[in-house]
């Protein structure tokens, strides 16, 4: 796989860099699910923080291959992330730059590819990953106002806006809750095609709509029905 070859090249570039403590890889690498469509999720642990210096982050990325484009991840709430597109081969690579102390804060245990003084392994053994779970009360406080908002958009004829809202609802509410119901991490709608039960995936499909009033209203009603079902099954009694 090109992802493995690329990671091997990064190790060779960084192994003699005195400012780098280690390199780890996360994402689909951990579950051996890498295929030709997969990106590569790298974590570079540096001795001193460089994640406020985009030029320095890009300078590292340029050492790894033919870099076509790179930008930081403020749009996903992670400015320490450099999102890269390489050529020869064409490959999407996400590189997160962290210090050893920041490496403790993680959502999963990555595979360590380079560890100069066993410091990364020591952190992994001494700390636990923490995936941020949905706040059920936060969802309940917002859900019905969101539905009302979407109905206003349909009523006004802003169907594209309503379609975008339904996608947002699947990403932040319905997808995560269905993943939890199916004993998965609540990663939005990622891999719902393969990780949800057939009835649950069908229920999620029923929230899809076309750019027409009747279809949008049906999808919104199906979203409400699905949410009520998930709320009854998942939410504790103290959620008001």
């Amino acid at each position: 796989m090109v992802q493995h070859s690329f990671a091997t090249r990064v190790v060779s570039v960084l192994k003699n860099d005195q400012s780098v403590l280690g390199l780890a890889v996360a994402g689909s690498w951990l579950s051996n699910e890498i295929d030709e469509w997969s990106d590569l999720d790298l974590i570079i642990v540096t001795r001193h923080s460089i994640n406020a210096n985009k030029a320095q982050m890009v300078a590292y990325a340029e050492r790894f291959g033919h870099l076509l484009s790179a930008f930081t991840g403020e749009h996903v709430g992670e400015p320490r992330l450099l999102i890269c597109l390489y050529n020869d081969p064409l490959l999407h690579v996400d590189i997160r730059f962290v210090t050893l102390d920041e490496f403790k804060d993680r959502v999963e245990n990555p595979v360590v590819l380079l560890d100069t003084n066993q410091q990364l392994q020591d952190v992994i053994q001494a700390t636990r990953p923490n995936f941020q779970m949905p706040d059920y009360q936060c969802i309940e406080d917002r859900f019905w106002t969101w539905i009302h908002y979407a109905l206003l958009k349909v009523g006004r004829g802003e169907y594209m806006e309503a379609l975008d809202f339904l996608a947002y609802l699947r990403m932040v509410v319905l997808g995560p809750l269905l993943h939890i119901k199916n004993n998965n991490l609540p990663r939005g709608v990622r891999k719902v095609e393969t990780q949800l039960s057939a009835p649950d995936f069908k229920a999620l499909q029923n929230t899809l709509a076309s750019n027409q009033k009747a279809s949008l209203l049906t999808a919104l009603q199906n979203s409400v029905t699905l949410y009520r079902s998930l709320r009854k099954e998942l939410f504790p009694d103290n959620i008001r």
Side-chain angles (χ1 to χ4, degrees):
M1 284 289 180
V2 296
Q3 294 88 346
H4 291 87
S5 299
F6 189 93
T8 299
R9 186 191 316 156
V10 175
V11 170
S12 68
V13 170
L14 296 180
K15 64 182 179 181
N16 295 318
D17 189 327
Q18 296 302 307
S19 64
V20 172
L21 298 177
L23 173 72
V25 59
S28 55
W29 186 294
L30 305 184
S31 55
N32 293 318
E33 294 178 317
I34 286 183
D35 56 27
E36 62 181 311
W37 313 110
S38 299
D39 59 8
L40 183 61
D41 297 290
L42 298 177
I43 305 165
I44 297 178
V45 183
T46 55
R47 193 175 303 277
H48 304 290
S49 178
I50 67 166
N51 51 50
N53 189 329
K54 179 185 175 182
Q56 198 169 356
M57 295 163 69
V58 171
Y60 266 101
E62 288 175 334
R63 296 165 61 188
F64 305 148
H66 182 186
L67 184 65
L68 295 175
S69 176
F71 54 91
T72 47
E74 287 85 357
H75 65 290
V76 292
E78 181 51 284
R80 302 173 300 178
L81 180 69
L82 192 69
I83 300 168
C84 304
L85 184 65
Y86 288 89
N87 200 15
D88 301 323
L90 193 64
L91 181 63
H92 177 139
V93 182
D94 288 338
I95 308 173
R96 191 156 62 98
F97 293 84
V98 298
T99 62
L100 191 64
D101 191 57
E102 291 170 334
F103 184 65
K104 298 175 184 176
D105 182 18
R106 62 195 188 281
V107 300
E108 56 194 356
N109 282 332
V111 173
V112 175
L113 303 180
L114 176 66
D115 196 357
T116 54
N117 293 306
Q118 288 292 110
Q119 295 182 78
L120 273 63
Q121 289 291 0
D122 289 345
V123 167
I124 290 173
Q125 291 175 6
T127 59
R128 292 180 177 273
N130 180 31
F131 195 97
Q132 188 66 43
M133 301 299 284
D135 182 331
Y136 294 151
Q137 188 64 65
C138 180
I139 291 174
E140 175 64 19
D141 290 345
R142 289 158 175 75
F143 183 83
W144 303 104
T145 302
W146 284 341
I147 293 296
H148 180 260
Y149 168 86
L151 288 168
L152 294 179
K153 298 307 172 184
V154 174
R156 184 179 285 159
E158 297 180 14
Y159 297 160
M160 294 298 291
E161 180 79 6
L163 284 168
D164 282 350
F165 165 78
L166 282 165
Y168 176 79
L169 198 66
R170 284 189 292 272
M171 179 66 69
V172 303
V173 177
L174 301 177
L177 295 182
L178 283 167
H179 270 309
I180 292 172
K181 179 185 176 185
N182 285 265
N183 299 313
N184 306 323
L185 288 176
R187 298 178 184 271
V189 293
R190 289 205 64 190
K191 301 185 178 180
V192 291
E193 294 84 357
T194 57
Q195 292 187 351
L196 299 186
S197 68
D200 284 341
F201 183 59
K202 177 63 176 176
L204 189 63
Q205 282 185 305
N206 288 339
T207 69
L208 296 169
S210 62
N211 193 36
Q212 297 176 338
K213 181 177 181 178
S215 178
L216 285 162
L217 291 175
T218 297
L220 282 167
Q221 180 62 65
N222 291 339
S223 297
V224 168
T225 300
L226 177 57
Y227 174 70
R228 283 178 166 152
S229 172
L230 291 165
R231 183 178 64 177
K232 181 177 181 180
E233 181 165 352
L234 298 177
F235 288 13
D237 292 339
N238 66 337
I239 302 300
R240 297 181 61 81

